[in-house]
Amino acid sequence: MKKNFEVVFLEDAIDFIEKMNSKAREKLYYNMDKASFQKDPKLFKKLSEGIWEFRTLYQGVQYRLFAFWDRSKEKDTLVVCTHGAIRKVSKVPKKEIERASKLKIDYFENKI
């Protein structure tokens, strides 16, 4: 099977992941890898125009990693993770989507 995309991380996403429990981090990476091979909205879901989230539930805690697509290279499709959040409810706060959108704009403005 061929991967549909590769995942890269911005600094805020790396900081979030490093602070996670090691078992939760392992499950997050597993779910991200699985989502790269198959479409599954339980693992990778569109939130708004251009903003997506990786979803992982571990021991009752919902970990969300916000992301967007970078299809600017001809052969490589990237999903860029902007930042993460822990959710206690399933609804995603608008401020998290707005933060991801701002980081997306910054990413493309500063990209070489």
Side-chain angles (χ1 to χ4, degrees), residues 12 16 20 25 32 34 36 42 50 52 67-69 82-83 92-94 96-97 108:
D12 288 352
F16 175 76
M20 290 174 68
R25 182 175 34 244
M32 291 170 72
K34 188 175 175 182
S36 72
K42 292 179 184 172
W52 293 66
F68 60 88
W69 293 84
T82 60
H83 70 289
V92 178
K94 189 175 180 181
E96 297 294 352
I97 295 172
F108 284 110

Side-chain angles (χ1 to χ4, degrees), residues 42-107:
K42 292 179 184 172
L43 301 177
F44 190 52
K45 180 181 175 185
K46 185 174 185 175
L47 296 176
S48 69
E49 192 59 41
I51 303 299
W52 293 66
E53 70 175 349
F54 285 102
R55 304 160 57 112
T56 296
L57 179 64
Y58 181 75
Q59 292 187 339
V61 178
Q62 296 181 37
Y63 296 92
R64 305 293 173 90
L65 200 57
F66 300 94
F68 60 88
W69 293 84
D70 178 355
R71 294 185 175 108
S72 59
K73 291 189 178 181
E74 288 182 21
K75 64 178 187 174
D76 294 328
T77 299
L78 298 177
V79 171
V80 181
C81 295
T82 60
H83 70 289
I86 295 174
R87 304 285 351 118
K88 292 183 175 49
V89 295
S90 60
K91 185 173 172 151
V92 178
K94 189 175 180 181
K95 71 176 185 163
E96 297 294 352
I97 295 172
E98 290 170 352
R99 180 176 175 195
S101 294
K102 182 185 179 318
L103 290 168
K104 177 183 176 183
I105 291 167
D106 291 347
Y107 170 85

